[in-house]
Amino acid sequence: QVKQIVEILDGQLNRQELQGLLGLSDRKHFRMKYLNPAIKTGLIKPVEPYNPKNKNQRYELTSLGNKVKNYNK
């Protein structure tokens, strides 16, 4: 699941946009199985890390995430 986020993430996207691109409707499942593991492994990061509950929070690839994405092409 983490690999899927890395593959679709281009620029900065919010949770709803990521979830929609993956075709997922369950927010809790998305956070537990996709978003949180991708953040914990250092592949993506929140744009506003000091305000994680911000409803407008956006996510972007880290340098490691970019390397993984480019390696898989």
Side-chain angles (χ1 to χ4, degrees):
Q1 291 101 340
V2 172
K3 183 179 175 185
Q4 290 176 316
I5 286 184
V6 170
E7 290 173 354
I8 65 163
L9 187 51
D10 189 28
Q12 296 179 353
L13 298 174
N14 64 29
R15 181 201 48 83
Q16 296 93 333
E17 292 167 330
L18 287 169
Q19 203 171 319
L21 288 171
L22 292 169
L24 301 171
S25 59
D26 187 326
R27 181 186 309 180
K28 184 177 177 182
H29 173 76
F30 172 73
R31 284 191 187 279
M32 286 179 21
K33 298 293 183 180
Y34 292 78
L35 189 60
N36 290 340
I39 292 170
K40 287 179 183 174
T41 57
L43 296 172
I44 70 171
K45 65 181 180 180
V47 174
E48 297 182 37
Y50 301 109
N51 194 3
K53 300 285 185 181
N54 183 347
K55 67 178 184 173
N56 297 316
Q57 181 66 269
R58 301 182 79 70
Y59 301 91
E60 63 186 1
L61 290 173
T62 62
S63 59
L64 177 60
N66 277 311
K67 287 178 186 176
V68 169
K69 184 175 184 172
N70 291 330
Y71 180 77
N72 290 327
K73 285 187 176 181

